[in-house]
């Protein structure tokens, strides 16, 4: 197949600016002249590489689920787990929500993502449009933020460092395979090109002739699909003419949704820090531990690096994310003197780091499933784990729902402002 080029015009999803797409050479990147968001990268068709990476990731995942993951030995009592035990034990303790969340973000959703890529790329390679192609392709971007196999690896490492002084830890072949799976997943994500995908599976629909570059799309009654980037007049079309996705109107007040999610996350954060997140039982003594208590315990035992990771991921990031999103929502309603670019940088940082707060949830899952040695030592989950998982999910959704176009709404028609 030959190389492809995008539409001659593009609407930035971040700031709503309409740009011309010039003729491109291989490797060229087109960014929005107003906010700097990457609009398009010219790449050769390489579905074979994408298929290879996807198949490799799925194969290694099967291996990771099949053998011993980690073993734990104390006072002659050995306990080993396979990966699914991190979910099964949570179910046994009636923490079904946590078990589902762990399995969804580390196995189910990544597997679905890889299978969708395989399905679509095989269709492109064979030049066949399989049933359900458009519906599956629409889900690619919405699934991506919830793929957390790499975060889970950090959670495992933090867990092992926390208990390495209590018992002998042995790494199983499945842990090594899971690390390889996480790396292959990252490679698949980085190599997949959604623009190229839609050029091959979508109908070749020309952009509206009356759209003008150097102005916002809103003032021209135009929008672009958040799934396939197709340009169209949203007064004439309520659904994307290429993929069928309902467009996000400028007239929908998404700030109210974002504010509601921020408030929910703030309320959940209170019990997440008041209740214990873990409870350790050793020789008849119970030691419930809050998130803050866990950080202090780690500092007392000299594990400063791990204490810092937990503090940043479980306390600093959630608080900073709530304040950052709140500030952005306030500034979206008021006159703006600050740089639009600074606000966009703050938003992107907030959106990027939010998923890493899941580290503490994964630490709970690993410790609870691994540290089961009867009267010698047993770790059970605490109610704070559920509240904290809620904080992470709700604030991630809040970042996704925040409409960055509002940051630029009061701007004059000048791409070089700020």
């Amino acid at each position: 197949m030959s190389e492809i080029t995008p539409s001659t015009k593009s609407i930035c999803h971040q700031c709503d600016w309409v740009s011309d797409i010039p003729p491109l050479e291989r490797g060229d990147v087109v960014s929005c002249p107003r906010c700097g968001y990457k609009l398009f990268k010219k790449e050769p068709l390489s579905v074979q590489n994408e298929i290879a990476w996807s198949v490799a990731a799925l194969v290694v995942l099967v291996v990771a689920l099949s053998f011993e993951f980690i073993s734990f030995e104390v006072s002659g009592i050995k306990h080993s787990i396979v990966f699914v035990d991190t979910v099964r034990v949570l179910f046994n303790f009636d923490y079904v929500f946590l078990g589902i969340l762990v399995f969804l973000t580390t196995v189910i959703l990544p597997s679905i993502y890889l299978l969708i890529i395989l399905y679509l790329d095989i269709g492109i390679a064979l030049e066949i449009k399989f049933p359900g192609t458009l519906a599956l392709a629409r889900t690619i971007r919405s699934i991506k933020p919830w793929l957390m196999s790499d975060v889970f690896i950090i959670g495992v490492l933090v867990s092992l460092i926390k208990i390495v002084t209590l018992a002998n830890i042995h790494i199983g072949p499945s842990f090594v395979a899971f690390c390889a799976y996480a790396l292959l997943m990252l490679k698949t994500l980085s190599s997949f090109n959604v623009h190229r995908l839609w050029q091959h599976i979508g109908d070749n629909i020309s952009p509206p002739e009356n759209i003008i570059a150097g102005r916002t799309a809103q003032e021209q009654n135009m929008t672009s699909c958040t799934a396939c980037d197709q340009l169209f007049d949203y007064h004439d079309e309520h659904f994307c003419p290429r993929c069928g996705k309902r467009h996000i109107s400028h007239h929908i007040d998404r700030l109210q949704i974002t504010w509601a999610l921020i408030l929910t996350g703030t309320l959940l954060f209170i019990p997440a820090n008041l209740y214990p997140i873990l409870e350790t039982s050793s020789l008849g003594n119970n030691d419930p531990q809050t998130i803050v208590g866990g950080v202090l315990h780690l500092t007392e035992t000299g594990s400063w690096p791990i204490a810092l990771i937990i503090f940043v991921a479980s306390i600093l990031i959630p608080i900073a994310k709530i304040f950052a999103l709140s500030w952005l929502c306030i500034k979206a309603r008021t006159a703006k003197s600050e740089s639009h670019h600074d606000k966009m940088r703050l938003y992107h940082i907030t959106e990027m780091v939010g998923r890493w707060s899941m580290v503490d949830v994964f630490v709970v899952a690993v410790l609870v499933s691994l540290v089961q040695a009867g009267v010698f030592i047993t770790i059970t989950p605490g109610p704070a784990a559920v509240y904290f998982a809620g904080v992470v999910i709700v604030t991630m959704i809040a970042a996704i729902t925040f409409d960055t176009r509002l940051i630029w709404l009061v701007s004059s028609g000048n791409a070089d402002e700020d």
Side-chain angles (χ1 to χ4, degrees):
M1 295 182 184
S2 59
E3 293 187 15
I4 56 177
T5 56
S7 165
T8 54
K9 285 185 172 60
S10 179
I11 297 175
C12 177
H13 292 303
Q14 302 287 299
C15 71
D16 203 43
W17 195 254
V18 180
S19 303
D20 282 316
I21 304 295
L24 303 175
E25 300 293 335
R26 177 177 175 178
D28 287 348
V29 177
V30 178
S31 298
C32 173
R34 192 188 199 197
C35 71
Y37 179 72
K38 187 172 80 171
L39 300 175
F40 187 84
K41 182 177 181 180
K42 180 67 175 289
E43 293 178 319
L45 185 65
S46 58
V47 292
Q48 292 82 4
N49 288 341
E50 290 177 4
I51 290 173
W53 289 119
S54 301
V55 170
L58 286 169
V59 170
V60 175
L61 175 59
V62 172
V63 174
L65 298 177
S66 302
F67 301 99
E68 182 182 278
F69 195 71
I70 304 171
S71 66
F72 169 90
E73 186 176 359
V74 59
S75 300
I77 298 176
K78 182 177 180 180
H79 179 67
S80 61
I81 61 170
V82 295
F83 179 83
V84 293
D85 286 332
T86 59
V87 177
R88 179 185 59 79
V89 173
L90 289 172
F91 274 61
N92 291 342
F93 282 110
D94 293 328
Y95 283 79
V96 176
F97 169 72
L98 283 184
I100 292 174
L101 180 63
V102 170
F103 206 52
L104 270 177
T105 54
T106 58
V107 175
I108 299 298
L109 290 178
S111 297
I112 291 173
Y113 187 89
L114 293 169
L115 289 171
I116 289 174
I117 290 179
L118 275 177
Y119 187 79
L120 298 175
D121 279 348
I122 290 173
I124 292 174
L126 299 178
E127 299 186 7
I128 299 173
K129 194 170 184 178
F130 293 131
T133 292
L134 295 183
L136 290 173
R138 284 199 301 264
T139 67
I140 289 291
R141 280 175 166 163
S142 59
I143 292 177
K144 188 176 179 180
W146 306 100
L147 310 180
M148 300 187 184
S149 54
D150 51 339
V151 183
F152 184 81
I153 293 295
I154 303 301
V156 174
L157 295 176
V158 170
S159 303
L160 297 183
I161 294 174
K162 288 184 72 171
I163 62 174
V164 71
T165 58
L166 302 177
N168 295 321
I169 304 297
H170 302 282
I171 301 298
S174 282
F175 177 74
V176 178
F178 197 92
C179 292
Y181 154 69
L183 292 174
L184 289 168
M185 190 74 216
L186 291 175
K187 179 61 180 179
T188 304
L189 290 170
S190 64
S191 64
F192 184 71
N193 190 318
V194 70
H195 303 287
R196 183 181 62 224
L197 167 70
W198 282 105
Q199 289 289 328
H200 282 281
I201 68 172
D203 295 330
N204 186 19
I205 301 175
S206 300
E209 295 181 358
N210 58 335
I211 188 168
I212 302 171
R215 298 170 58 187
T216 65
Q218 181 184 11
E219 56 186 308
Q220 302 179 67
N221 297 326
M222 297 290 174
T223 190
S224 66
C225 178
T226 55
C228 71
D229 299 323
Q230 175 64 41
L231 279 60
F232 60 97
D233 188 323
Y234 62 76
H235 280 186
D236 296 336
E237 302 277 356
H238 296 294
F239 294 87
C240 174
R242 177 157 68 171
C243 74
K245 181 180 175 65
R246 187 177 182 86
H247 79 273
I248 301 175
S249 172
H250 286 273
H251 303 295
I252 296 176
D253 190 353
R254 295 172 65 192
L255 272 185
Q256 293 186 13
I257 300 174
T258 306
W259 271 122
L261 291 166
I262 292 171
L263 178 59
T264 303
T266 303
L267 294 175
L268 288 172
F269 191 69
I270 297 171
N273 283 274
L274 291 178
Y275 289 113
I277 194 168
L278 286 173
E279 183 171 332
T280 304
S281 300
S282 179
L283 299 175
N285 296 318
N286 294 329
D287 180 24
Q289 203 170 76
T290 62
I291 295 175
V292 174
V295 173
L296 293 176
H297 175 74
L298 287 169
T299 57
E300 290 171 359
T301 58
S303 301
W304 283 94
I306 303 303
L308 182 61
I309 291 174
I310 296 296
F311 175 77
V312 171
S314 302
I315 299 175
L316 185 61
I317 288 179
I319 292 175
K321 192 169 185 179
I322 288 171
F323 274 100
L325 288 173
S326 299
W327 185 79
L328 288 171
C329 286
I330 292 170
K331 290 300 179 180
R333 290 292 198 200
T334 59
K336 304 165 179 68
S337 58
E338 301 86 356
S339 165
H340 300 300
H341 295 285
D342 289 342
K343 281 178 260 186
M344 288 302 298
R345 279 191 289 270
L346 176 63
Y347 170 77
H348 288 305
I349 292 172
T350 302
E351 184 185 37
M352 178 183 65
V353 302
R355 63 196 291 269
W356 289 97
S357 292
M358 279 292 288
V359 165
D360 221 11
V361 176
F362 293 143
V363 168
V364 171
V366 174
L367 290 179
V368 168
S369 59
L370 181 61
V371 185
Q372 299 293 325
V375 296
F376 289 102
I377 184 169
T378 298
I379 294 181
T380 56
V386 177
Y387 290 110
F388 185 77
V391 173
V392 178
I393 294 171
V394 167
T395 53
M396 284 183 65
I397 297 174
I400 292 170
T401 60
F402 179 75
D403 191 349
T404 55
R405 297 175 299 183
L406 295 172
I407 292 176
W408 303 85
L409 195 57
V410 297
S411 302
S412 63
N414 182 2
D416 298 322
E417 61 190 319
D418 295 325

